[in-house]
Amino acid sequence: MDGLHKVVDFCVRHQTILGCTTVSLLTAASEHIFSSAVFKCPCNSKNIIYGSSFLLAPAFVLLLIGFVVNPSTWHLLTGRCSSENHVKYSPGGNCACFCQVFLPVTAKASVAPLTWIAVALLGANFYECAASGSSLMETFFCKNNGTDCRDQLLKVPCDEELSAKISSERLSLHVQSQLIGCFLIASIMTGTLISTCVRRCYSPVSYLQLRYYEIYTKKEEELFEIKAKEHATKLAERNTNCFFEATDPAPFHIPSSEDWQKISILYTFNPQKLHDNCNSQEQYYSKLHEFVSTNRGSSTKCNEESQPLTEFQDETQAS
């Protein structure tokens, strides 16, 4: 049990890295299936269209899927086009907060498409097919080589002997693809490391407080999901019971639309933010945290005016 607990704890602590690794492995496996079982270069004038489609189109689809399945995408977009919400709940009056949320979303959505392109370049099938139909490669390979070179270049992906003959004095398309793939992987790793270092260097808080903030936000999301399901279930039970039993509904507190808007505003962690009602500094770790801290009085009033749900359940059971 101790070993299982350590494994679970490790997965929770590194769930982002493990998630990206899993997505990368699944994407690499999908690329291998496409390359070996589906892809077949036509070896004619359509090479560049066919090869480019297999190299870029799946990557674009994976990018769109990455945005769609990320809840933060819909957090960014929901209500953005409403003029009323834009005026009342504009995040900081500028796009800085939007960018701070959008960039991590884009980074996560880019894992699968970049993996697809990198693995495809290392495999070289898609690039070799597309490049063999490119006018740039024609100039590179067929300079001073006669008029038949163009037709031979188009057949390179389908003939290994012809490929070795044409690329005997120049860098082959296969090697070009692998070099580009290695450079892309190195660039991604370097860019990720540099951006992470810069972001951490400009962090307004210490490492441990930043870890605490990350832990808090994850736990808040988990608990909010659980409480929301419980609250919605109880409300549904109240309404269905009243409908079938023809009874009057008991008071039940539901957050107002304005309250929902307040906790849905884009938020970036600012440890220097002052409490609205106090002279002392108070740190907020989310919009929900800020809402609860700055609306204590109104929340208490709402709770006092609402009949406890346990009383309602006792009444329904008695009836």
Side-chain angles (χ1 to χ4, degrees):
M1 291 299 294
D2 291 339
L4 179 61
H5 178 74
K6 291 180 180 179
V7 172
V8 173
D9 182 66
F10 177 83
C11 293
V12 172
R13 287 176 59 86
H14 303 281
Q15 57 180 328
T16 301
I17 297 176
L18 293 175
C20 293
T21 302
T22 302
V23 171
S24 299
L25 292 176
L26 291 175
T27 304
S30 301
E31 191 281 332
H32 179 72
I33 295 174
F34 266 77
S35 179
S36 58
V38 178
F39 181 78
K40 185 175 178 61
C41 188
C43 295
N44 55 33
S45 59
K46 305 298 182 181
N47 280 10
I48 186 171
I49 298 176
Y50 191 78
S52 299
S53 298
F54 273 82
L55 181 63
L56 300 178
F60 180 71
V61 172
L62 289 172
L63 180 65
L64 295 181
I65 294 175
F67 279 114
V68 170
V69 299
N70 194 328
S72 297
T73 302
W74 309 115
H75 190 181
L76 288 171
L77 296 179
T78 303
R80 292 303 112 189
C81 296
S82 173
S83 58
E84 180 181 355
N85 291 343
H86 180 75
V87 173
K88 293 175 63 178
Y89 307 107
S90 179
N94 52 56
C95 64
C97 185
F98 183 91
C99 292
Q100 288 181 347
V101 178
F102 180 72
L103 290 178
V105 172
T106 304
K108 291 181 181 180
S110 301
V111 171
L114 289 177
T115 301
W116 176 278
I117 294 175
V119 174
L121 289 173
L122 292 177
N125 290 340
F126 301 156
Y127 175 86
E128 191 175 29
C129 181
S132 63
S134 170
S135 58
L136 180 62
M137 290 297 108
E138 179 183 359
T139 303
F140 180 75
F141 281 97
C142 299
K143 186 177 181 180
N144 302 323
N145 281 348
T147 57
D148 295 336
C149 181
R150 168 64 176 173
D151 295 334
Q152 292 179 344
L153 183 62
L154 292 174
K155 299 178 181 179
V156 163
C158 304
D159 192 334
E160 294 183 0
E161 295 182 359
L162 183 60
S163 175
K165 178 182 177 181
I166 291 182
S167 46
S168 59
E169 298 181 357
R170 299 180 185 274
L171 198 63
S172 68
L173 296 177
H174 193 89
V175 174
Q176 287 181 27
S177 179
Q178 292 180 332
L179 288 176
I180 295 173
C182 291
F183 178 77
L184 177 62
I185 294 174
S187 300
I188 294 172
M189 298 299 294
T190 303
T192 301
L193 178 60
I194 293 175
S195 61
T196 302
C197 291
V198 171
R199 182 168 57 87
R200 290 303 179 96
C201 287
Y202 283 93
S203 174
V205 297
S206 63
Y207 172 76
L208 292 179
Q209 187 176 5
L210 183 61
R211 282 290 303 145
Y212 178 84
Y213 165 69
E214 293 172 349
I215 294 172
Y216 171 83
T217 53
K218 291 179 182 178
K219 290 299 181 181
E220 183 186 85
E221 291 177 359
E222 294 174 3
L223 293 175
F224 185 88
E225 187 77 13
I226 294 173
K227 292 295 182 181
K229 289 180 179 179
E230 291 179 355
H231 192 276
T233 300
K234 292 175 181 178
L235 179 60
E237 289 178 353
R238 186 199 74 160
N239 293 337
T240 53
N241 288 339
C242 292
F243 175 78
F244 285 106
E245 297 174 7
T247 58
D248 294 331
F252 191 90
H253 174 63
I254 303 175
S256 64
S257 296
E258 185 176 0
D259 291 343
W260 284 111
Q261 289 286 358
K262 287 180 179 179
I263 67 171
S264 300
I265 301 173
L266 297 179
Y267 184 78
T268 53
F269 181 42
N270 182 7
Q272 301 299 327
K273 187 172 183 178
L274 292 174
H275 193 288
D276 293 338
N277 301 322
C278 304
N279 293 326
S280 61
Q281 290 183 343
E282 184 170 343
Q283 297 171 355
Y284 302 126
Y285 292 96
S286 68
K287 293 305 295 184
L288 181 60
H289 183 192
E290 181 181 6
F291 174 81
V292 172
S293 299
T294 56
N295 291 270
R296 292 189 182 97
S298 59
S299 297
T300 302
K301 183 178 179 181
C302 290
N303 291 334
E304 291 176 349
E305 291 178 352
S306 300
Q307 180 178 351
L309 188 62
T310 55
E311 295 181 11
F312 161 74
Q313 291 175 335
D314 292 339
E315 291 175 4
T316 53
Q317 292 174 359
S319 59

